[in-house]
């Protein structure tokens, strides 16, 4: 991709040109994206070339995987505004070479004033858009607390200013937007105007195009405050004041007490063996770790290779396994700090054996739909995932999101960032689907200070005590099945990492009761064979976009960004 140095000149005289958002100098960095990289030293795969470069620079300056991932995430908040964020939350897995493997939960929380029925009308029906747009949709942001907690505990450099410098420079000097970003900004232009009664750097009166440069002065100041004051630079003082002001102006319910109370949590990963591999996944409130464990353990006794890659038989098996695990997700999973989730049972071999026994190897079962409407399937949203392995062999897998593109579309004017719409990941009413068509139950009902259930699945797979694969993805409900399929492509079907990532994917999530198939994938013959088994098939433009690293037997690293996201970028040290 070539970025034209096209500097919204026409806008410089336009009344909608927002102060410093458009500029004439060419101080910003040009870039192109690279999908595959090789290195014997270190590797960064991220959702944007400029952010990946910031991570590689960090490694080159002696930083470890944590220094690099934190630098990448702050940079993504600048150059990847549709999902990179300060106003969202996420999950991280970190594996220290010869040390521990830990999980960090920096998922957003429901505000203290949140209530179970807050999105329902007087008749008990969900009010359209209330959990997805504007101030009420916003969960208490966790990203800044989480990134700083990771940096403090495991960063090698102990130099917050250096780690944030790359992001601050990009915000101050500006960056040229990619074609995909231009397309998204144009798509949501009306929503931005609808949700915000003021101009900000992502609003202008003509269409965005590739190469337009965006400078984010307010965001640079916010990042500087975080650099100078740490957590207090975001959750207190001017930035917090701007966020709370945005809340008040838009009838939101987040208060200073919510910001003070926010705390990310260190947790033990979901860890198990699959055919000689040690899989590390994210624990609740991400469903990713448990759902993938149940699916892989159900699959373990089968010889997938002999069933063939994406034959009607293997897709049937995969889909039925996925159906079972997503049913458990919908019925029983939620934030265990607020609901007695039967975690031990869900992880037990006895329970998973019973799930396997209930599979029908010949026919599609029917997802029971009592109290449940078949939901629409989602449009394509963005989340952002970063995978890194450093020179010492430490690896990190981190996924973060605003939920939908640009989250709630609400922008904190005084501090320069978008706020999430993560509250929609709660079950707003039993049986009512969220943006991803997922339904939930009491375990994922809204309660004050509770974290909403997630599908984000940062994953680290080890072999012989070393990271073998580091991967994760955006893609809502399709993340978990995509991560599993990419792992199976390598481990069962002997594909290269590049083939594994770029191969067609299928997905079943119990409800709606379809096999989702990426457009243009599967022959008519296979589609008909699946229909003959009782499956309904539904095409989807694309599923989760994986960012992965593989360590070969000789120790060399291959990084792969997904062809599904033009901005994905792999870069070696
Ligand atoms: O936590 C979740 O599962 C969702 N909020 C993730 C959103 C997402 O991946 C959007 N992107 N494609």
């Amino acid at each position: 991709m070539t970025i034209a140095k096209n500097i919204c000149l026409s806008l410089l005289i336009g009344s909608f040109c927002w102060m410093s958002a458009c500029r004439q100098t060419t101080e910003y960095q040009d870039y192109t994206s690279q999908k595959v990289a090789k290195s014997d030293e270190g590797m960064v795969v991220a959702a944007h070339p400029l952010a990946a470069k910031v991570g590689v620079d960090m490694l080159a300056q002696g930083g470890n995987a944590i220094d690099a991932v934190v630098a990448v995430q702050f940079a993504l908040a600048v150059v990847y505004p549709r999902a990179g964020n300060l106003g969202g939350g996420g999950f991280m897995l970190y594996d220290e070479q010869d040390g521990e493997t830990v999980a960090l939960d920096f998922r957003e929380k429901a505000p203290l004033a949140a209530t179970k029925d807050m999105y329902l009308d007087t008749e008990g029906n969900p009010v359209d858009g209330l959990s997805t747009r504007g101030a009420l949709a916003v969960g208490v942001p966790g990203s800044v607390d989480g990134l700083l907690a990771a940096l403090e505990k495991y960063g090698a450099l102990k130099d917050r200013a250096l780690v944030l410098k790359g992001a601050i420079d990009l915000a101050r000097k500006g960056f040229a937007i990619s074609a995909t970003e231009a397309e998204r900004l144009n798509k949501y232009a009306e929503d931005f105007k609808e949700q915000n009664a003021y101009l900000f750097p992502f609003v202008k009166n003509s269409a965005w195009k590739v190469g337009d440069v965006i400078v984010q002065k307010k965001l640079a100041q916010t990042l500087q405050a975080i650099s100078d004051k740490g957590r207090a630079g975001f959750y207190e003082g001017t930035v917090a004041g701007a966020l709370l002001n945005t809340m008040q102006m838009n009838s939101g319910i987040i208060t200073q007490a919510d910001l003070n109370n926010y705390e990310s949590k260190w947790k033990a990963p979901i860890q198990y063996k699959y055919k000689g591999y040690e899989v590390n996944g994210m624990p609740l409130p991400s469903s990713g770790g448990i759902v993938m464990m149940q699916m892989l353990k159900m699959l373990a006794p089968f010889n997938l290779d002999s069933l063939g890659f994406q034959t009607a038989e293997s897709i049937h098996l995969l889909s039925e396994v996925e159906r079972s695990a997503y049913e458990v997700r919908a019925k029983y999973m939620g934030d265990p700090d607020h609901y007695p989730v039967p975690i031990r049972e869900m992880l037990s071999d006895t329970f998973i054996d019973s799930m396997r026994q209930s599979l029908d190897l010949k026919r599609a079962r029917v997802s029971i739909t009592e109290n449940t409407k078949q939901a629409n399937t989602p449009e394509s949203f963005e989340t952002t995932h970063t995978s890194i392995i450093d020179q010492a062999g430490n690896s990190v897998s981190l996924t973060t999101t605003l939920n939908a593109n640009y989250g709630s579309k609400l922008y904190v004017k005084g501090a320069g960032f978008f706020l999430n719409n993560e509250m929609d990941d709660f079950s707003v009413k039993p049986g009512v689907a969220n943006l991803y068509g997922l339904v939930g139950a009491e375990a994922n009902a809204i309660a004050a200070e509770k974290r909403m259930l997630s599908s984000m699945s940062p994953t680290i797979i080890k072999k012989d005590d070393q990271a073998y694969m580091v991967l994760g993805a955006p893609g809502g409900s399709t993340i978990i099945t995509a991560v599993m399929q990419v792992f199976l492509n390598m481990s069962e079907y002997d594909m290269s990492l590049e083939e594994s990532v770029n191969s067609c994917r299928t997905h079943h999530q119990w409800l709606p009761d379809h096999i989702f198939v990426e457009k243009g994938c599967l022959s008519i013959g296979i589609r008909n064979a699946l229909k003959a088994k009782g499956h309904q098939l539904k095409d989807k433009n694309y599923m989760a976009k994986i960012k992965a690293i593989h360590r070969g037997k000789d120790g060399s690293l291959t990084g792969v960004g997904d062809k599904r996201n033009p901005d994905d970028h792999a870069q070696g040290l």
Side-chain angles (χ1 to χ4, degrees):
M1 171 181 48
T2 306
I3 301 296
K5 290 191 171 70
N6 178 347
I7 311 160
C8 46
L9 270 176
S10 59
L11 284 167
L12 285 170
I13 46 164
S15 58
F16 279 89
C17 184
W18 173 245
M19 295 171 73
S20 56
C22 311
R23 44 185 290 122
Q24 271 180 299
T25 68
T26 52
E27 223 183 324
Y28 63 84
Q29 302 171 49
D30 209 342
Y31 59 90
T32 52
S33 75
Q34 163 178 278
K35 291 288 175 269
V36 182
K38 304 238 180 225
S39 171
D40 291 331
E41 300 289 330
M43 182 64 64
V44 177
V45 187
H48 195 286
L50 293 175
K53 180 178 181 306
V54 165
V56 173
D57 289 350
M58 212 66 248
L59 294 180
Q61 289 172 78
N64 66 5
I66 291 289
D67 293 309
V69 83
V70 174
V72 169
Q73 291 317 123
F74 281 118
L76 283 169
V78 180
V79 300
Y80 202 69
R82 59 192 190 261
N85 68 82
L86 301 183
F91 299 99
M92 181 188 88
L93 277 184
Y94 178 53
D95 179 65
E96 261 186 322
Q97 179 66 42
D98 305 321
E100 52 189 354
T101 310
V102 290
L104 180 63
D105 161 2
F106 54 99
R107 181 70 158 165
E108 297 92 328
K109 285 167 47 165
L112 284 157
T115 58
K116 188 174 170 186
D117 296 339
M118 63 188 279
Y119 300 117
L120 306 184
D121 63 18
T122 46
E123 277 159 29
N125 297 315
V127 179
D128 202 27
L130 211 53
S131 64
T132 55
R133 281 157 181 272
L136 264 194
V138 183
V140 183
S143 288
V144 174
D145 188 87
L147 295 177
L148 295 180
L151 196 60
E152 204 167 293
K153 191 157 182 197
Y154 290 107
L157 294 174
K158 305 293 173 213
D159 189 343
R160 197 167 60 220
L162 185 62
V163 169
L164 271 123
K165 187 174 179 311
I168 294 172
D169 283 350
L170 285 163
R172 249 185 218 142
K173 295 179 184 164
F175 74 102
I177 60 171
S178 67
T180 325
E181 195 67 56
E183 180 255 308
R184 295 289 157 97
L185 287 172
N186 290 332
K187 181 168 177 187
Y188 292 100
E190 285 311 307
D191 300 82
F192 293 163
K193 287 181 194 157
E194 206 176 286
Q195 293 302 327
N196 302 282
Y198 37 78
L199 295 174
F200 57 97
F202 300 107
V203 176
K204 68 184 179 89
N205 65 347
S206 63
W208 292 97
K209 48 197 179 314
V210 59
D212 282 349
V213 173
I214 298 184
V215 173
Q216 299 173 77
K217 288 245 159 83
K218 285 286 175 202
L219 179 57
Q221 283 165 15
T222 296
L223 290 165
Q224 191 62 54
I226 296 168
S227 170
D228 294 343
K229 300 179 194 151
R231 187 189 186 286
F234 184 83
Y235 292 91
E236 298 169 29
T238 318
V239 174
L243 193 162
L244 297 178
N245 191 31
T246 304
M247 281 290 130
Q248 279 150 19
M249 283 183 345
N250 294 281
S251 311
I253 56 173
I254 293 178
T255 62
Q256 184 63 52
D258 285 306
L259 301 180
N260 293 343
N261 285 358
Y262 188 83
E263 206 180 10
S264 45
K265 295 179 182 178
W266 292 101
K267 296 183 168 177
I270 300 290
Q271 195 171 71
Y272 53 97
K273 292 266 189 253
Y274 175 82
K275 300 186 181 177
Y277 298 93
E278 179 195 296
V279 184
N280 290 276
M282 197 69 212
L284 291 170
S286 165
S287 61
I290 299 180
V291 169
M292 186 155 138
M293 170 175 163
Q294 291 181 337
M295 295 192 300
L296 284 175
K297 287 199 165 186
M298 273 186 270
L299 286 173
F302 294 93
N303 183 341
L304 288 179
D305 196 23
S306 74
L307 288 179
F309 177 67
Q310 289 187 346
T311 58
E313 287 67 34
S314 63
I315 294 172
H316 171 76
L317 174 63
L318 220 55
S319 304
E320 289 305 312
V321 159
E322 292 170 356
R323 182 200 302 273
S324 292
Y326 276 76
E327 179 178 1
V328 171
R329 180 195 195 279
K331 290 182 173 169
Y332 306 112
M333 293 191 201
D335 180 353
D337 292 340
H338 287 259
Y339 189 84
V341 181
I343 298 178
R344 197 130 36 97
E345 284 94 318
M346 289 192 302
L347 294 176
S348 75
D349 285 344
T350 320
F351 183 71
I352 297 171
D353 287 346
S354 75
M355 290 171 81
R356 190 186 311 106
Q357 277 151 22
S358 72
L359 298 174
D360 184 331
L361 299 179
K362 299 254 175 289
R363 295 280 311 161
R365 291 166 296 168
V366 176
S367 298
I368 306 296
T369 57
E370 191 190 343
N371 282 336
T372 307
K373 281 191 264 163
Q374 296 274 9
N376 285 331
T377 52
E379 59 161 302
S380 71
F381 294 132
E382 293 293 342
T383 283
T384 173
H385 178 84
T386 304
S387 295
I388 298 181
I389 298 185
D390 68 19
Q391 303 91 306
N394 305 306
S395 56
V396 66
S397 188
L398 187 152
T399 315
T400 174
T401 191
L402 290 166
N403 195 22
N405 288 308
Y406 311 98
S408 60
K409 323 292 187 266
L410 195 59
Y411 186 83
V412 181
K413 182 188 173 195
F417 57 90
F418 283 102
L419 290 165
N420 69 80
N421 62 348
E422 221 74 57
M423 289 295 284
D424 187 66
D425 274 347
F426 279 117
S427 173
V428 303
K429 182 181 174 180
V432 171
N434 70 7
L435 278 176
Y436 305 95
L438 293 166
V439 294
E442 192 58 30
N444 191 32
I446 304 169
E449 299 213 275
K450 189 173 173 181
R451 282 146 147 95
M452 52 298 273
L453 190 62
S454 174
S455 303
M456 289 188 275
S457 308
T459 302
I460 297 178
I461 298 168
K462 295 173 71 175
K463 202 174 179 185
D464 304 327
D465 287 330
Q466 278 208 315
Y468 160 80
M469 269 181 106
V470 179
L471 74 168
S477 55
T478 68
I479 297 173
I480 319 172
T481 53
V483 168
M484 177 180 74
Q485 285 172 42
V486 171
F487 169 53
L488 292 176
N489 290 350
M490 285 204 78
S491 61
E492 300 280 347
Y493 295 110
D494 270 342
M495 292 185 195
S496 69
L497 184 65
E498 193 182 353
E499 281 175 287
S500 300
V501 168
N502 291 329
S503 290
C504 288
R505 302 201 239 284
T506 61
H507 170 76
H508 202 300
Q509 61 180 46
W510 182 56
L511 287 173
D513 192 349
H514 310 296
I515 300 178
F516 292 101
V517 180
E518 281 181 313
K519 228 179 207 157
C521 292
L522 304 187
S523 67
I524 300 284
I526 292 176
R527 285 172 180 252
N528 285 341
L530 286 165
K531 285 179 194 162
K533 288 178 184 295
H535 291 287
Q536 294 181 53
L537 269 56
K538 197 155 189 172
D539 278 354
K540 211 165 140 43
N541 278 341
Y542 47 75
M543 312 265 183
K545 303 160 190 166
I546 296 276
K547 290 128 202 41
I549 304 174
H550 169 238
R551 186 202 300 275
K553 285 199 182 97
D554 60 356
S556 65
L557 303 173
T558 303
V560 173
D562 204 311
K563 68 171 187 192
R564 296 167 181 81
N565 180 15
D567 296 344
D568 267 17
H569 186 78
Q571 192 170 334
L573 180 61

